[in-house]
């Protein structure tokens, strides 16, 4: 049974940092790309970042480039999203998802399994 569990969300002030984790089980982790998505209230879910199965390729949506870093530890079956210089527009529920293959995409329909999400709130 595929499971993806996000953690690390919380309340942070503008300019602050958080590191999200996505712990997985139930599948051969290093075969698959992993993506991070977020959904703000009243908005559609958007792709934030993704990482290929080997970690050799990463992608970011324009609004987080230079501020967020995605990484993976295949020995721990975990993907991380380091988020720096956070602002109010980064507020939302963050989800990780397992892709259909080793390649990366910021499109939601590329992903088959999703975690339950972790809330990130950026506010003073």
């Amino acid at each position: 049974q595929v499971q993806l569990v996000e953690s690390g969300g919380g309340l942070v002030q503008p300019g602050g940092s958080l590191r999200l984790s996505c712990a997985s089980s139930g599948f051969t982790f290093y075969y698959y790309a992993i993506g991070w998505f977020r959904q703000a209230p009243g908005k559609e879910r958007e792709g934030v970042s993704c990482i290929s199965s080997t970690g050799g390729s990463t992608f970011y949506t324009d609004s987080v480039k230079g501020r967020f870093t995605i990484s993976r530890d295949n020995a721990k079956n975990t993907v991380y999203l380091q988020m720096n210089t956070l602002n109010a527009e980064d507020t939302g529920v963050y989800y990780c998802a397992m892709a259909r293959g080793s390649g990366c995409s910021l499109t939601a329909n590329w992903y088959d399994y999703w975690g339950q999400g972790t809330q990130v709130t950026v506010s003073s």
Side-chain angles (χ1 to χ4, degrees):
Q1 181 181 356
V2 174
Q3 284 193 319
L4 297 161
V5 179
E6 303 93 338
S7 62
L11 173 63
V12 63
Q13 292 186 342
S17 298
L18 285 173
R19 189 175 82 152
L20 305 183
S21 297
C22 172
S24 66
S25 61
F27 63 100
T28 307
F29 182 75
Y30 57 82
Y31 280 177
Y32 298 98
I34 301 291
W36 281 100
F37 291 76
R38 66 186 178 191
Q39 189 164 18
K43 294 187 177 181
E44 292 187 355
R45 189 172 298 189
E46 69 163 335
V48 175
S49 181
C50 62
I51 187 166
S52 64
S53 59
T54 63
S57 295
T58 58
F59 295 90
Y60 301 90
T61 193
D62 285 346
S63 64
V64 308
K65 286 180 181 176
R67 300 189 298 123
F68 290 12
T69 303
I70 191 170
S71 61
R72 67 189 293 158
D73 185 338
N74 284 347
K76 295 182 177 180
N77 289 358
T78 302
V79 170
Y80 305 97
L81 186 67
Q82 177 67 43
M83 306 187 297
N84 299 329
T85 320
L86 287 161
N87 58 60
E89 287 69 41
D90 296 316
T91 294
V93 179
Y94 282 69
Y95 302 88
C96 66
M98 185 191 90
R100 296 178 181 178
S102 60
C104 201
S105 170
L106 294 182
T107 303
N109 62 13
W110 180 243
Y111 296 82
D112 283 335
Y113 294 94
W114 295 78
Q116 293 299 306
T118 185
Q119 176 70 46
V120 171
T121 303
V122 184
S123 175
S124 56

